[in-house]
Amino acid sequence: MVNDVCYATLKYDQPWTLDNYYREGGYEALKRVLDGPMDRGEIIDEIKKATLRGRGGAGFSTGMKWGFMPRDAPGQKYLICNSDESEPGTCKDRHLLRFNPHALVEGMIISGYAMGATVGYNYLRGEFMKEPFERIEEAVREAREAGFLGENILGSGVDFEMHNLIGAGAYICGEETGLLESIEGKRGLPRNKPPFPAQYGIYGRPATVNNTETIASVPTVMRRGADWFLEQGRPNNGGTKLFCVSGHVNSPGVFEIPLGMPFKELLGMAGGVRDGRKLKAVIPGGTSMPALPGEEMMELDMDFDSLAKAKSGLGSGGLVVMDDTTDMVEVCLRISRFYYAESCGQCTPCREGTGWMHRVIKRIYQGKGSYDDIELLEAAAGQIAGHTICAFGEASAWPVQGILRHWRHEFEHYVEHGRSMVEAAA
Amino acid sequence: MTSQRLAYTYLSDHQREAIDSWRARFPDHDQGRQSAVIQALHIAQEGNGGWLSQQMLDAVADYLELTPVRVYEVATFYSMFHLHPVGRHKVNICQNISCMLCGSDELVRHIEQHLGIGLGETTADGRITLVPEDECLAACTGAPMMLVDEHYYTDLTPEKATAILDSLE
Amino acid sequence: MSANPEQPDDQVTITIDGAEYQASKGATIIEVADANGVDIPRFCYHPKLTAPANCRMCLVDIEMNGKAAPKPMPACITAIGDGMVVRTESERAVSAQRNVMEFLLINHPLDCPICDQGGECELQDLALGYGRGISRFTERKRVVDDEDLGPLVETEMTRCIHCTRCVRFLDEIAGTSELGALHRGEHTEIGTFVGRGIHSELSGNVIDLCPVGALTNKPYRYTARAWEMLSHPTVGPHDAIGSNISLHQVRGTVKRVVPRNNEAVNETWIADRDRYSYQGIYAEDRLQEPIARDGDKWQAMDWQEALESVAGRLKEVAAQDPSQIAAWVSPSATLEEQYLLNRLMRGLGSDNVDVRLRQADTRDGDSPSPGLGMPIAATEDVDAALLVGSHTRHDQPLLNHRLRKAGLNGAHIMALDTRRHDWNYELSEELVAHPDQLARELALIAAAMAAYVGRGVVEGLHAYTGGAEPGDNHKRVAQRLVDAGSALVMSGDAVELHQGGADLRALTALIAELAGAHHGQLGTGANAFGGWIAGAVPYRGADGSPARGMSVAETIADPRRCYVVVNLEPEHDCFDGAAARRALEAAETVVVFSPYVTEAMREYADVILPIGAFGETAGTFVNAEGRWQTFAGVGRPIGEARPAWRVFRVLGNLLSLDRFEYNAPDEIHAELQGLWERQGNPSNGGWQGRPAEPWLGHGSLVRAGNTAIYGTDPLVRRGEALQRTPHAGAARPTLSPATAQQLGVNDGDWISLDQGGPSVRLQASVDDALADSTVWLPAGLEGTAGLGPVHGPINIQRT
């Protein structure tokens, strides 16, 4: 564990306070950026050089995304922080909001300035309305009191205001345009793209959406430099990242580790597979990413490119570890239920397809399925992916396709014998 | 119409002030006003025993000067809004992947048995509603877990969970 | 950069399925495909609505600069680019379309034979081309509860495919946002959520928009199949738009009405009034044969006998004093009917023929011709408009639709009336004044305008302003109209009904003139402009020659011995129903030409002749912009009824009048058209034609109103479904809070009202939209028939 970036304050008893954040160099980056102030393009170049990639799931280059904003054009622009953390298996942003909220506040101000945005909204999922919301609200209050928010920050002539908002229970609001719709007080229906948020964000004005962890990483990049950040990880995979290790491990937890660390090592940090059982499967980046067999995972490194090569993805960094007692058909059923329940219902393939997939899997799980059903499931997943308005289509299809790719025989066993081939754990 | 505005009939001064404070976070234009609807519904729901009656929905629409159906759409889209009466406490037991792997199904069975109700039901004394939950509640490293009102309880065992529920008024 | 040097900069070239097309930059693929007859399947897309691209049926393969898009793209929202190559029939595109079709069908019932949409269903049609032979979906299909949306639109929501066309229509076109997409995911349902129904005056269009059988026509439901009906083009018979419609009929019986596309007139929409009023054709009180009074009894007669009797009576009166005959004719009668009636009357020696049933004040006999003064389609491009005494949304629903478009685009649409109305968009200014003060308000606007354009003092204006200075609101209205590139100043139904309407019209004309704006004057009826052209007005003949006849108002005030009444019910259709009826009851001879027979008619009439109703008669309507639209009759009128033009022709023959040997309505039409074309542009009276003395007002509690949307004429009043909507039913006299308090009336109280005659008992409403000392009580609603003038003094008693 390194805890140099997002988890820098974790060593303190009250890691969320401004004082403790100061002790870890908090707001130094902001002061440096605002001294002058620094050229916006330079900041963006620094972020690009650090190869900071989106921590929410897509892993897109943050600097490049910022570059899409018409940063010097007149008119209101917005920075949106996506704290709608809801990718199953992921619980890092909730920790970040509770334990190091000032990293996010400082990151918001710097990021906002870099893109010419003077207003930032931090959208938290509704379930975070108590502790995470209260901590980040308090941090905003402290920052405002310290003169880091508002007009003419630290006499720099730069204005920035940050507001926290809460949602009300809808996974789809984690999709960036669904989130923008939700901020506008609507159902969280993802938009067709183009136009992209940097052209048409909220209220018809440009906006950029970044994940909480991404933004919270920005102050460290600016304080310690792009080179330092890049060196923490691997080329094109700069920095450290938070990984949430849950499921069948002895010591589940959220760990800040350098990108590129072998999975084997991360599993060790989490105490290894529970009760010394055999590792069967791992979902490496939240349920939208296809599960991989344990043996394959043990050879992989935790960075964006390595996992993409293995036909899965780093996603949000939510690792779900499964031991040999796990029934992969049941896992598939549970995941499909989630996507079925969370489809926004706007476009046909997802609205109709997620329910269909779920029902077919259920039929197989109940021992009433046929070989045709397995093929049908595969076909339905293929019919959804690539045909929807947003990436939810893929998110619902990939896990099914992934499990079928590696554990088809478990489905076939259900068809043949009407029950699971996995013996229940003792 | 001269009939008393719904917003003033069904929302308290305090609630309207709370909505105003949210409105202040958004730009002062029609679209900005609509932005406050989710927060306003949370406020209205909290003041109405945890659920949103049609009057409350209409009152929010009236206060934010929105077409009622826009408010209905939002209220029916987001799962935290309840459109029927609920118990004094809402309990969501996460059953998503990480929690499932760590025994959430057994936890649910245990709690259902303990309370004598199924998911989606409310205890006869109106104390607890077991809210069906399909989303992951983002506390996977503390699985299995549950949300009681706005509070997270993690690393549960059936015994720990029932003790927590028994302590609710 | 254009690849082709010959190509204009705003044009690009794209290839669809191997063929090259030129199209405007910014167009979408589907627009180019539609314009060139390339078929791309779709459900959610509609050219008049925003495109959500949610059905995913129109996915096509795209290649740009030699690079294929990674995924098939929706043709409905993908903008074209120069050199773009589109394949609608590639394997990937067709597979995407088939996949989407399979998804759509899994939860859609496959029981087309029992669905009302069967045979005209977009889903059914496309499923033939893109569906699988066998369903792979074996689960139970989703069942969705139906919702009662009111008497016009039937729901079968299990059939809904969530295209949201209906939701978007009510948001974007109707402006009422009554439907929403509720819940989410597979459980998404279209509905009102609270069972309020849909009440837009354009609601029926959702039926045409719905690609499946989820929203269907309630009165029509299960009465016919699409393929057994014949489509008969005609024109909407209720307002000055003249919406293009088709009657769908089986063996001469109209089963339903649907819009015909005409971009210049109604685009692709129609008002509910035009869609559902056809039910009135089959009302129970249709008169089947000629009848005549015989003492206290009514006797049926054959046509010959009846017409001879009528001719005899008319001749007798005419022989003594032809000016004792007056003819009142519906402003929704056809041009041919109005023209022949005009010729009959002039032939008898009387100029007393008039279509202006609702015009209370005819002191400006030479008043401007009714009409919009500009093309209907151009009204959506105005920069400003002032609507005087016009609840355009109900009076002329599709004109309101155009003005709404202008308003949403930033035009200043403004209004002056005795109340605020229920608009479906935000007006820039809505002035409310007591009926006595309307002229003063207009005069102040005109004065502000004269000052703004540097015209100085306008002669005659002081008589209306009383020397008062314009307020900021008057100045705003004046300046916006003057500053507008294109503006419309228009008076409406409430001005017609106003007892000082001549002053209001003159002032409206003055404002239009000062602003350089188009000037419109619209009352009720589908053919009021036609009545003017046909010479069915007392002060001009069809050839434009001046005449000195008496108006409806004058023949009510100064009753005649003999009346000819054509297709109206005076107690509902005249500005002062009670007085009109008194005049008829006192007359020696009343001849009624009507599709219907009512108890009232049996009391005042001597002979009642059954004429064809809407749909049963060929003819022409001239709409507000002066467009002549001719239509044929669907079939024979019911019973022994005859088209009115034919009846008038025979009557002309019996009266031995010249040139009455018409064989068909087109001969009449051609003759009138010749007369009209020779006249050039008729002059509008305008400010110079203002009354010598301003009308001073009543100075007391005054009734004001307009004509209820579903009370405009006998046909719509018999439209059974329309009469069950909240826009019809019992009248609710409405008072301002201050006036209600003065009178001790509370909202919901039953009150008794009278205008000098018998009183009626109605339930009061209190609404701050009203001017003080005003009782808003429209005509054409249940309970108002016995009352006096729509604009005039009224007494209220609490009961």
Side-chain angles (χ1 to χ4, degrees), chain B residues 3-17:
Chain B
S3 55
Q4 184 75 25
R5 276 186 62 183
L6 293 169
Y8 292 85
T9 310
Y10 293 105
L11 297 172
S12 67
D13 292 349
H14 176 73
Q15 285 179 308
R16 277 181 275 112
E17 276 164 30

Side-chain angles (χ1 to χ4, degrees), chain B residues 20-70:
Chain B
D20 288 345
S21 77
W22 281 107
R23 276 176 65 169
R25 297 185 182 206
F26 300 107
D28 186 18
H29 51 50
D30 286 358
Q31 287 175 295
R33 206 171 54 231
Q34 181 165 358
S35 282
V37 68
I38 290 175
Q39 336 291 338
L41 288 172
H42 277 305
I43 291 164
Q45 175 163 283
E46 199 195 342
N48 191 53
W51 70 291
L52 289 162
S53 57
Q54 194 196 317
Q55 283 99 329
M56 297 311 289
L57 298 176
D58 288 341
V60 166
D62 179 39
Y63 194 59
L64 296 177
E65 296 168 61
L66 300 174
T67 310
V69 78
R70 291 287 96 83

Side-chain angles (χ1 to χ4, degrees), chain C residues 123-410:
Chain C
L123 185 65
Q124 192 182 24
D125 293 349
L126 288 180
L128 290 176
Y130 298 91
R132 285 176 177 272
I134 302 163
S135 173
R136 298 193 291 176
F137 184 79
T138 52
E139 283 76 8
R140 278 183 61 145
K141 286 176 188 271
R142 172 175 58 226
V143 175
V144 182
D145 287 344
D146 289 325
E147 189 179 337
D148 185 0
L149 293 179
L152 306 181
V153 179
E154 182 64 272
T155 63
E156 206 167 311
M157 298 316 287
T158 297
R159 303 188 185 279
C160 174
I161 58 167
H162 309 93
C163 71
T164 68
R165 279 187 191 171
C166 56
V167 176
R168 283 175 283 136
F169 172 81
L170 291 170
D171 283 348
E172 297 165 16
I173 307 295
T176 52
S177 299
E178 292 163 291
L179 288 177
L182 305 161
H183 307 286
R184 74 175 182 217
E186 193 188 82
H187 306 290
T188 304
E189 290 178 16
I190 305 299
T192 68
F193 184 64
V194 289
R196 287 192 183 123
I198 55 175
H199 305 303
S200 163
E201 68 284 2
L202 305 176
S203 71
N205 292 296
V206 300
I207 298 163
D208 307 324
L209 289 170
C210 183
V212 294
L215 302 176
T216 53
N217 187 317
K218 206 171 209 171
Y220 157 78
R221 195 166 145 92
Y222 296 143
T223 61
R225 279 300 198 180
W227 56 83
E228 61 173 342
M229 294 190 289
L230 295 174
S231 183
H232 179 91
T234 184
V235 175
H238 301 291
D239 62 35
I241 302 306
S243 290
N244 290 198
I245 57 178
S246 288
L247 308 183
H248 285 175
Q249 51 106 350
V250 176
R251 289 176 294 279
T253 303
V254 177
K255 297 292 181 183
R256 67 174 175 188
V257 174
V258 297
R260 270 186 300 136
N261 197 64
N262 187 336
E263 280 305 306
V265 179
N266 53 303
E267 301 172 62
T268 186
W269 318 120
I270 56 172
D272 288 352
R273 189 163 55 189
D274 285 339
R275 184 184 300 268
Y276 293 104
S277 67
Y278 76 91
Q279 287 188 300
I281 303 172
Y282 309 105
E284 281 183 358
D285 63 351
R286 277 299 294 270
L287 181 59
Q288 306 278 340
E289 55 197 345
I291 54 174
R293 181 192 294 283
D294 180 8
D296 289 341
K297 290 206 195 86
W298 283 85
Q299 290 283 345
M301 293 177 143
D302 67 29
W303 268 104
Q304 190 61 27
E305 203 182 349
L307 284 169
E308 278 170 8
S309 149
V310 167
R313 287 163 199 254
L314 293 176
K315 260 191 221 165
E316 194 186 318
V317 184
Q320 291 167 17
D321 178 0
S323 77
Q324 283 298 328
I325 310 177
W328 299 346
V329 54
S330 164
S332 292
T334 65
L335 194 63
E336 293 77 3
E337 290 163 355
Q338 292 168 341
Y339 177 59
L340 287 200
L341 182 68
N342 158 37
R343 289 204 49 223
L344 274 176
M345 291 298 292
R346 314 271 174 173
L348 286 165
S350 173
D351 285 321
N352 306 339
V353 54
D354 203 356
V355 295
R356 298 168 305 162
L357 310 176
R358 292 199 168 88
Q359 193 163 310
D361 181 5
T362 49
R363 287 174 298 153
D364 55 344
D366 203 14
S367 70
S369 60
L372 193 55
M374 68 187 297
I376 289 170
T379 56
E380 69 181 60
D381 297 320
V382 297
D383 302 304
L386 175 63
L387 310 171
V388 183
S390 170
H391 185 201
T392 324
R393 183 175 169 198
H394 281 188
D395 296 351
Q396 317 284 349
L398 291 176
L399 174 60
N400 179 65
H401 163 62
R402 301 273 190 177
L403 290 170
R404 178 174 180 271
K405 280 199 236 181
L408 295 180
N409 277 331

Side-chain angles (χ1 to χ4, degrees), chain A residues 187-237:
Chain A
R187 295 173 293 148
L189 305 187
R191 300 174 184 160
N192 286 285
K193 283 137 290 215
F196 292 96
Q199 304 152 310
Y200 190 98
I202 48 173
Y203 315 125
R205 303 295 313 163
T208 286
V209 184
N210 287 130
N211 169 257
T212 317
E213 186 190 347
T214 312
I215 296 176
S217 302
V218 166
T220 310
V221 176
M222 295 311 292
R223 187 165 53 88
R224 305 186 76 158
D227 292 334
W228 176 87
F229 191 80
L230 183 54
E231 279 166 20
Q232 301 307 300
R234 279 190 176 171
N236 198 34
N237 291 271

